[in-house]
Amino acid sequence: MNDKVWDKILEYQTRDLVERFIKTKFNRDASARHILEITSNFIQGREYFLNAQRAAISVKPLLLYYGVSALTRGLILAISPHLSEAAMKSSHGLDAVNWKEALSSKKFGDLTISIRNGTFLELLNVTSNRTYFKHNSSGVSWNINFDIPKTDAKIRFDDLVQTVSDLSDEYETWTQNKVSFFRLDTFKPISASNEFEYVVHKDRNEENEIFNIFPKAIFGEYHREEANKKFVIRTSNKNIPQFSQRFLDAFNMGIGEIVLTKAISSETHLNTLGQLYCLSFYLGMLSRYFPSIWISLGRTEKGDAIYPLFIRIIDLVEKHFPRTVIEFLAGPYDFEKKNSD
């Protein structure tokens, strides 16, 4: 567990500091009950993550998902001063769709979840499906709000994984296919219409990278040119690819990067909280309801090529979900305040 991150989360486990947070953020006094609900969820979240760290791999994903769920509920309550635990949905907000059929032949990529009313959709709504990014910076310096996905929208595991560039090595090991992504330099509207310009680093010389991230079926025709080891891509409709934080490479040295990947679908984009929540849900439900399959993957049985990917997902969620919660609680940032002036 990252001590600095959990030291910050400790602030949301104390009555006085949560009371101060609500007063500063919303200029209102929080009730004792509201404070107790916020602190209780953060206390539980911390304990679940701590126990997940100590747990055997057979149950670790489930404990980690419970921790993700508790921190999520704490975040929702902390930034929703009029909401109470009693008014929150008791369901996960995600349903497994036809998992038995996919798992019978170990087609893990076909595992699908459907968005329902519940904690997950509440998370996207109260955060406006916003991601805070560290972009060429050691601190949060940019954000983007995605549209809220529709209820009943479907998310395939394979499509979700391809929105997280940090999983690219393990994904290629599993599927022998690459995750297409470009490191973003700049992004901006180029007119009052729905036209956008993306400037990305030309790290790889593969034309398919662009086709995968900007499929013509979604983006139609687009203009592309090369300049100074970069691609300049201009699109002329309202669709956008997935913007994701990259945690590997420069992030480990304190500098963040944004990457572009293909979206789950033209209508389904997730902020970082949503991406990590879904990944944790997949593994938590797999280990909880299909333990024979989950445990067999770690015992060198047929179909276990996906196991390194699953372990990498656990590591990613464990390290970065709490950090992302804290970054959201710290908003709004100076760059947002300047843009609103």
Side-chain angles (χ1 to χ4, degrees), residues 187 194 196 198 214-215 217-220 235-241 265-267 269:
F187 165 69
N194 288 320
F196 298 103
Y198 307 82
F214 296 91
I218 295 175
F219 289 89
T235 64
S236 58
N237 62 37
K238 65 179 181 178
N239 292 309
I240 59 173
S265 75
S266 61
E267 297 182 342
H269 299 72

Side-chain angles (χ1 to χ4, degrees), residues 79-309:
I79 60 178
S80 308
H82 300 289
L83 187 64
S84 67
E85 272 187 340
M88 293 180 68
K89 302 288 185 183
S90 58
S91 64
H92 303 291
L94 296 170
D95 282 349
V97 180
N98 298 326
W99 278 32
K100 289 183 179 179
E101 290 83 347
L103 290 173
S104 65
S105 54
K106 294 192 176 179
K107 292 182 178 179
F108 296 103
D110 289 338
L111 292 175
T112 300
I113 54 180
S114 180
I115 298 176
R116 302 281 191 250
N117 287 319
T119 301
F120 179 70
L121 198 55
E122 286 177 328
L123 171 65
L124 298 186
N125 277 309
V126 302
T127 62
S128 300
N129 204 8
R130 178 185 308 129
T131 285
Y132 283 116
F133 290 102
K134 294 178 180 178
H135 184 46
N136 299 326
S137 168
S138 60
V140 173
S141 57
W142 195 69
N143 68 15
I144 189 170
N145 290 14
F146 298 118
D147 291 340
I148 306 296
K150 296 177 181 177
T151 305
D152 296 331
K154 303 291 192 298
I155 301 173
R156 288 178 66 248
F157 180 73
D158 189 279
D159 294 329
L160 174 62
V161 169
Q162 290 188 68
T163 69
V164 184
S165 67
D166 296 85
L167 302 174
S168 58
D169 289 345
E170 292 78 12
Y171 180 81
E172 186 173 358
T173 298
W174 168 41
T175 65
Q176 297 183 298
N177 295 315
K178 294 183 178 181
V179 172
S180 297
F181 68 91
F182 281 112
R183 294 185 299 124
L184 181 68
D185 186 31
T186 61
F187 165 69
K188 63 181 181 180
I190 57 176
S191 69
S193 66
N194 288 320
E195 296 182 318
F196 298 103
E197 178 183 272
Y198 307 82
V199 180
V200 300
H201 296 275
K202 185 184 175 186
D203 297 319
R204 295 173 297 281
N205 194 27
E206 296 188 23
E207 195 72 16
N208 285 340
E209 298 282 329
I210 296 179
F211 294 153
N212 289 338
I213 296 171
F214 296 91
K216 289 187 177 181
I218 295 175
F219 289 89
E221 296 294 330
Y222 52 82
H223 174 75
R224 176 184 67 81
E225 61 187 54
E226 297 182 32
N228 301 320
K229 296 184 179 180
K230 295 176 183 178
F231 287 126
V232 180
I233 303 164
R234 296 187 183 91
T235 64
S236 58
N237 62 37
K238 65 179 181 178
N239 292 309
I240 59 173
Q242 174 73 40
F243 291 69
S244 296
Q245 182 75 65
R246 184 161 174 83
F247 295 113
L248 289 174
D249 305 331
F251 192 91
N252 292 329
M253 296 181 284
I255 305 298
E257 292 181 310
I258 300 172
V259 297
L260 301 182
T261 70
K262 72 174 188 176
I264 293 170
S265 75
S266 61
E267 297 182 342
T268 304
H269 299 72
L270 300 178
N271 62 8
T272 303
L273 289 165
Q275 289 172 303
L276 296 176
Y277 186 106
C278 284
L279 289 169
S280 180
F281 178 85
Y282 266 109
L283 269 59
M285 296 305 101
L286 181 60
S287 64
R288 172 66 181 88
Y289 293 106
F290 302 91
S292 62
I293 293 176
W294 172 252
I295 291 173
S296 73
L297 292 174
R299 295 184 175 176
T300 62
E301 295 191 15
K302 187 173 178 59
D304 64 356
I306 197 172
Y307 193 61
L309 174 63

Side-chain angles (χ1 to χ4, degrees), residues 286-341:
L286 181 60
S287 64
R288 172 66 181 88
Y289 293 106
F290 302 91
S292 62
I293 293 176
W294 172 252
I295 291 173
S296 73
L297 292 174
R299 295 184 175 176
T300 62
E301 295 191 15
K302 187 173 178 59
D304 64 356
I306 197 172
Y307 193 61
L309 174 63
F310 283 160
I311 297 303
R312 179 73 183 101
I313 289 172
I314 290 172
D315 180 65
L316 197 69
V317 171
E318 194 169 30
K319 286 182 179 177
H320 297 295
F321 189 82
R323 183 199 308 274
T324 306
V325 168
I326 288 299
E327 288 177 351
F328 205 94
L329 286 165
Y333 292 87
D334 289 342
F335 70 90
E336 295 178 277
K337 297 172 185 176
K338 291 176 182 178
N339 291 340
S340 63
D341 290 343

